[in-house]
Amino acid sequence: MTILIVGGGGREHAIAEKIAENPKVEKIYAAPGNGGMAAFCELVPLSATDVAGIVSFAQTHAVDFVVVAQDDPLCLGMVDALKKVGIPAFGPEQRAAMIEGSKVFAKDLMRRYGIPTAQYRTFRSYEAAERFLREDAVFPLVVKADGLALGKGVLICETKEKAISAVRAMMKEEKFGAAGRSVVIEEYLEGPEVSVLAFTDGRTVVPMVSSMDHKRALDGDVGLNTGGMGTVAPNPYYTHDIAERAMKEIFLPTIEAMNREGRTFRGCLYFGLMLTADGPKVIEYNCRFGDPETQVVLPLLKSDLLTVMQATVDGTLDQTPVEFSQESACCVVIASGGYPVSYEKGFAISGIEAANQAAHVYHAGTKLTDAGIVTSGGRVLGVTATAATLREAIDKAYKAADQIHFEHSFMRRDIGQRALKAEEKV
Ligand code: AMP
Ligand code: GLY
């Protein structure tokens, strides 16, 4: 089989590596891919959002199956366009990708179907939002841009002034373009966060092993929000009882709600949950695998990924085994100094091969040049190790990550520490 993977981050590298394990796979194209994927995939110089370009490439290169891993092409209808020309593709159709593409839609869906989430109001006019913030709101609260905003459209506001300036930036100054024309203002929830990725074909839903992201840039969960500085799996806060409750109160009702709306979801649905005193509540839905959650979840998958992905497209997930190892995994992200604000690119990277001996080194912001692998983004690499215990996985991941060097690199040193503490309590 010939496979095309759309995207070029650490998540896509992890997906490609797993798909390559299937003996039927002869060739993997990646558009645009990255420096690490270049070792076993053919890179295609197309942007992940170029729907027409990707469809025509898939047609002319006899591609049998496409994995659309990134949110924006899914929201642009890339899976619909591929299916229209008879090419099966993993990921939701545009109508279903809306569950991530519009937070107003997702919140209203949860309200209509009684799915637990934070209390909220939605606003289409700046004046109405400001009036609400001045007269009725309770702080802290959370202001969210409706549309896709590269993970930057969520602001936690402790004060009225901060909330008003957030709403002004979104709705008046159009800091996030069309994505901020409508906003959600919601109740601030507290509790540990859990990411649960789930395969679904619209009928059956199969949650993967749970994970914990570390979104802040610096140790101790301080500093700016990033795309994710590291992950561990499983997430010790996510006990068997909570998992059962989430299945009954959140996962199945969400799949059913999407069916009733005529928006059947097929692919990977990401549930960002907060475990509150009142039980698990949805913080966000994503219509795709998480990054860097995928980098700890897929190394623990024992079943064949391509077979499971095909089952989500064919509607046969109920007959397809999806098994995970009982081990733990830890992924440490190595970033460019200055990320997530501004950073330089083009630095040579050394030590990848040594690190690869005991870990998976997933590339994210790298490029293969004549001079070797160089940095080309903010999050450069994700180093994942698996082991029998979480503590061992963490040690192994850091040992491997410490072998990698490039100018101005940095990583958090405390990935997994909160999870270790939670393990002691649970
Ligand atoms: P998102 O960009 O939707 O992933 O949100 C970024 C982060 O903001 C989440 O991971 C949470 O830590 C935080 N967050 C989002 N919504 C809420 C909420 N209602 N209460 C507390 N924290 C939230
Ligand atoms: N790690 C969070 C996300 O993928 O959205």
Side-chain angles (χ1 to χ4, degrees):
M1 286 182 75
T2 298
I3 312 292
L4 167 61
I5 295 174
V6 179
R11 165 183 56 202
E12 286 78 6
H13 189 170
I15 292 172
E17 185 187 270
K18 204 76 196 168
I19 283 183
E21 288 175 8
N22 182 314
K24 279 187 276 183
V25 173
E26 279 174 6
K27 182 157 190 99
I28 303 179
Y29 291 108
N34 60 44
M37 296 170 85
F40 63 103
C41 305
E42 183 171 331
L43 303 192
V44 182
L46 283 173
S47 147
T49 52
D50 179 357
V51 176
I54 295 281
V55 172
S56 120
F57 178 89
Q59 283 181 301
T60 50
H61 292 75
V63 170
D64 299 300
F65 193 79
V66 182
V67 178
V68 183
Q70 221 171 280
D71 44 23
D72 32 4
L74 290 167
C75 291
L76 287 169
M78 188 177 280
V79 168
D80 313 54
L82 287 160
K83 286 184 178 168
K84 209 182 254 170
V85 299
I87 301 173
F90 176 82
E93 291 172 8
Q94 188 171 30
R95 286 177 63 74
M98 182 104 168
I99 199 165
E100 175 171 0
S102 167
K103 292 203 193 320
V104 172
F105 167 78
K107 294 296 288 189
D108 289 347
L109 183 87
M110 289 186 268
R111 181 181 280 167
R112 269 202 298 286
Y113 293 90
I115 297 166
T117 187
Q119 298 293 328
Y120 72 102
R121 302 263 312 255
T122 63
F123 296 94
R124 291 158 135 265
S125 101
Y126 170 76
E127 287 68 28
E130 190 193 311
R131 198 175 325 120
F132 168 73
L133 289 172
R134 287 199 189 283
E135 293 168 11
D136 295 318
V138 182
F139 297 87
L141 50 68
V142 187
V143 176
K144 301 185 170 185
D146 175 49
L148 297 180
L150 297 169
K152 297 191 177 117
V154 173
L155 291 161
I156 294 170
C157 304
E158 293 81 14
T159 62
K160 190 177 292 183
E161 291 66 41
K162 206 173 156 197
I164 291 173
S165 91
V167 168
R168 187 179 303 129
M170 287 180 194
M171 303 185 88
K172 282 214 135 150
E173 293 153 17
E174 303 204 356
K175 209 173 145 199
F176 301 108
R181 259 178 227 151
S182 298
V183 300
V184 172
I185 299 182
E186 71 176 29
E187 173 199 5
Y188 176 77
L189 297 178
E190 278 174 288
E193 285 184 55
V194 182
S195 307
V196 182
L197 319 182
F199 291 110
T200 177
D201 59 2
R203 286 188 305 150
T204 305
V205 52
V206 183
M208 299 178 224
V209 61
S210 62
S211 54
M212 182 193 286
D213 195 2
H214 297 68
K215 286 208 166 101
R216 302 294 199 95
L218 307 173
D219 285 18
D221 290 322
V222 297
L224 293 171
N225 251 325
T226 70
M229 293 300 294
T231 36
V232 293
N235 184 323
Y237 289 106
Y238 194 67
T239 60
H240 184 73
D241 287 353
I242 294 173
E244 270 188 1
R245 200 165 160 189
M247 179 58 111
K248 209 165 72 201
E249 294 175 11
I250 295 172
F251 306 161
L252 289 170
T254 300
I255 298 305
E256 182 55 27
M258 291 297 276
N259 285 336
R260 291 226 195 148
E261 298 286 314
R263 297 176 185 274
T264 296
F265 191 103
R266 297 182 193 87
C268 173
L269 185 51
Y270 170 128
F271 299 89
L273 305 179
M274 192 163 285
L275 308 182
T276 72
D278 297 333
K281 294 190 179 180
V282 177
I283 287 282
E284 60 161 344
Y285 290 118
N286 292 321
C287 65
R288 46 160 180 91
F289 282 94
D291 189 337
E293 283 88 343
T294 306
Q295 291 91 310
V296 284
V297 168
L298 289 188
L300 297 176
L301 176 66
K302 291 204 287 187
S303 310
D304 178 61
L305 178 61
L306 181 59
T307 306
V308 179
M309 285 181 158
Q310 286 175 308
T312 69
V313 179
D314 300 339
T316 52
L317 198 54
D318 59 339
Q319 299 148 46
T320 308
V322 184
E323 274 185 74
F324 283 87
S325 133
Q326 296 301 308
E327 293 199 325
S328 295
C330 172
C331 173
V332 177
V333 169
I334 310 180
S336 300
Y339 173 78
V341 182
S342 66
Y343 47 83
E344 289 174 71
K345 307 178 188 178
F347 297 116
I349 309 174
S350 69
I352 292 177
E353 231 158 80
N356 248 327
Q357 300 303 314
H360 303 256
V361 180
Y362 296 122
H363 293 233
T366 75
K367 212 165 65 179
L368 181 59
T369 67
D370 294 338
I373 301 273
V374 302
T375 66
S376 69
R379 289 189 297 171
V380 176
L381 299 164
V383 180
T384 299
T386 60
T389 66
L390 179 58
R391 191 177 291 279
E392 286 171 84
I394 294 169
D395 289 347
K396 224 166 123 182
Y398 275 106
K399 232 177 236 149
D402 281 331
Q403 292 181 278
I404 295 176
H405 300 281
F406 58 87
E407 248 180 271
H408 309 302
S409 73
F410 82 97
M411 58 181 139
R412 277 181 61 162
R413 302 264 20 151
D414 65 342
I415 302 301
Q417 291 306 317
R418 257 191 85 193
L420 279 180
K421 284 207 190 92
E423 255 186 3
E424 286 164 16
K425 278 188 230 146
V426 174

